[in-house]
Amino acid sequence: MGQTILVTGGAGFIGSNLVRYILEHRPDDRVINLDGLTYAGNLESLAEFVDEPRHEFVHCDINDGAKLDEIMPKADVVLHLAAESHVDRSIHDPSLFLNTNIIGTQCMLDSAKRHNIKRFVYVSTDEVYGELPLDDKSQLFTESTPLAPNSPYAVSKTGGDMLARAYHHTYGMNIGITRCSNNFGPYQFPEKVIPLFVNNLIEGKKVPLYGDGRNIRDWLHVLDHCEAICRVLDDGKPGEAYNIGGNNERSNLELTKMLIDLCGRDETFIEHVPDRLGHDMRYAIDATKIRDELGWEPTRSAWPQALEETVQWYKDNLEWSDHVRTGEYRRFMDQNYTNQG
Ligand code: NAD
Ligand code: TYD
């Protein structure tokens, strides 16, 4: 039997891919897409679903408990993604991150508790574990690695993650937690490294590589992440966290060289800029638990093909990047969602 899935942050990068994934792969389910439309929310990413009866958009801030209480009774389950998501912004202004990612998550959990939501999945991040050293590749994050977040963003996500755990422990809510590594794919806001660098290279601008570029990230295609979130929703054990990763560690320098190659530029386009404050060295995920318990494996993340397709998507969708960077997409909102405030 189908269910109504409340997705928060469904106008953002992962959220819009997740809404599309659910509408395409789970024909019995409906989606309520709840998003506050910050600079990072762009419903143009779901333009083909404007008239889809199984997709309802609601313009709402997750810190607005009264409005959440109007929407929550319509949902069976919740996938909570809405968040401030960019580490660099959190370094400049931590308070917005704490308010949205911790207090906003508390508002979501409280409303879900009041309305007896059957299952609530909190989409966390591998950044809750802090960082791994470069010189010992045998070390990976497992679900029992102590949480040791380093950036204000990571601390705010850890707060939400721990609150979700506490609502299971204290109130018996059916909670799932996912901790995924860096995602790549279409519809990512061009402040994150891959779309930023691709857009710069297309426009003939240099790419700002932080520090020496030796920092490592473990890249996963966003649709593999979406599939994993749905597995955790359906079959994850109540109260448990699941790591999600693609076994695809790359240094930023290696990534940058691949992007330069795919965009037909050369290494003179690299601009070494001062390092990010407190820059985490290496993230690497052990995803054994979700593979063994829930049968999930990444199927769309293999490089170089998956990266090539992503770069091609940005080349083919310059207008999308342009609209999201300039705020021009709000015109699309005004034309198609006039009743949403
Ligand atoms: P994003 O910045 O692209 O999207 C965030 C969305 O949340 C936007 O649509 C924004 O409008 C919405 N939002 C922000 N504040 C809100 C508020 N107060 N009320 C309602 N909506 C609000 O982020 P993303 O990269 O798609 O990340 C989605 C989630 O996945 C986040 O929770 C993030 O921590 C987590 N995550 C991201 C990655 C990654 O690589 N991008 C990896 C692991 C986990
Ligand atoms: P980012 O996409 O911001 O994701 P996260 O900080 O969540 O991992 O950054 C990915 C890596 O790329 C990170 O090690 C920082 C680096 N980076 C740059 O070198 N230059 C940039 O302009 C940006 C945005 C990131």
Side-chain angles (χ1 to χ4, degrees):
M1 239 235 331
Q3 55 190 349
T4 299
I5 304 175
L6 175 60
V7 176
T8 71
F13 164 48
I14 301 173
S16 62
N17 278 285
L18 179 61
V19 168
R20 177 177 292 99
Y21 179 86
I22 293 169
L23 293 172
E24 287 177 353
H25 292 86
R26 301 169 66 108
D28 295 333
D29 289 342
R30 293 185 70 243
V31 174
I32 300 175
N33 178 351
L34 185 154
D35 199 292
L37 299 180
T38 67
Y39 77 95
N42 177 10
L43 268 186
E44 228 177 332
S45 307
L46 289 167
E48 75 267 38
F49 296 114
V50 164
D51 297 319
E52 167 59 54
R54 291 188 297 124
H55 177 226
E56 178 189 352
F57 173 69
V58 182
H59 188 192
C60 176
D61 193 307
I62 56 166
N63 290 71
D64 183 345
K67 196 156 179 188
L68 291 181
D69 279 344
E70 290 171 20
I71 298 152
M72 205 63 78
K74 298 191 210 165
D76 298 303
V77 295
V78 171
L79 301 176
H80 177 40
L81 288 82
E84 289 295 332
S85 67
H86 191 38
V87 172
D88 292 319
R89 285 180 191 254
S90 84
I91 292 168
H92 294 298
D93 179 12
S95 60
L96 178 60
F97 282 71
L98 303 185
N99 194 44
T100 299
N101 298 356
I102 301 179
I103 306 298
T105 296
Q106 182 214 335
C107 292
M108 284 294 302
L109 287 163
D110 282 338
S111 181
K113 176 160 70 72
R114 282 193 287 275
H115 298 285
N116 300 315
I117 286 297
K118 292 190 195 110
R119 184 153 168 81
F120 184 111
V121 176
Y122 176 75
V123 175
S124 189
T125 165
D126 63 350
E127 298 190 31
V128 299
Y129 298 121
E131 66 177 342
L132 293 165
L134 278 186
D135 56 6
D136 179 5
K137 288 289 171 54
S138 68
Q139 289 191 41
L140 302 173
F141 295 137
T142 71
E143 289 81 357
S144 50
T145 301
L147 304 193
N150 286 323
S151 69
Y153 163 72
V155 167
S156 70
K157 289 298 293 182
T158 308
D161 183 313
M162 290 286 94
L163 263 182
R165 179 181 173 279
Y167 273 58
H168 169 75
H169 187 85
T170 308
Y171 307 113
M173 280 179 70
N174 182 355
I175 299 286
I177 295 168
T178 62
R179 297 183 185 143
C180 188
S181 58
N182 287 64
N183 285 209
F184 67 97
Y187 302 108
Q188 187 169 32
F189 193 88
E191 64 187 351
K192 306 285 166 48
V193 71
I194 291 179
L196 174 72
F197 281 19
V198 171
N199 279 313
N200 277 12
L201 292 166
I202 293 170
E203 290 166 11
K205 295 186 201 150
K206 293 192 174 193
V207 297
L209 185 63
Y210 296 159
D212 59 14
R214 290 197 311 142
N215 307 65
I216 288 178
R217 297 294 182 263
D218 185 353
W219 292 97
L220 184 80
H221 193 277
V222 61
L223 289 175
D224 278 331
H225 186 192
C226 294
E227 188 181 334
I229 292 170
C230 289
R231 291 282 173 94
V232 172
L233 170 68
D234 292 340
D235 298 319
K237 287 192 194 137
E240 300 249 333
Y242 291 86
N243 280 355
I244 304 168
N247 223 346
N248 185 28
E249 286 183 56
R250 309 283 169 169
S251 75
N252 291 339
L253 185 59
E254 182 186 359
L255 167 69
T256 303
K257 286 181 179 171
M258 289 175 86
L259 295 176
I260 282 175
D261 211 37
L262 290 167
C263 293
R265 302 292 185 185
D266 61 43
E267 289 180 26
T268 62
F269 280 80
I270 298 178
E271 183 177 6
H272 289 278
V273 298
D275 210 352
R276 172 186 278 174
L277 295 179
H279 197 173
D280 280 342
M281 217 51 218
R282 172 173 167 253
Y283 303 148
I285 279 276
D286 180 343
T288 307
K289 178 175 173 182
I290 190 169
R291 191 191 63 211
D292 289 356
E293 282 188 22
L294 307 182
W296 174 87
E297 297 254 23
T299 58
R300 306 163 180 89
S301 298
W303 282 20
Q305 310 90 281
L307 186 65
E308 258 173 66
E309 284 164 21
T310 295
V311 170
Q312 192 58 47
W313 189 89
Y314 287 99
K315 287 183 184 168
D316 293 342
N317 289 276
L318 293 174
E319 203 179 44
W320 181 90
S321 293
D322 193 46
H323 284 184
V324 74
R325 279 185 299 191
T326 58
E328 172 67 12
Y329 66 87
R330 301 214 176 262
R331 193 191 298 239
F332 170 88
M333 288 298 302
D334 294 343
Q335 283 163 357
N336 292 288
Y337 290 92
T338 44
N339 59 342
Q340 296 296 343

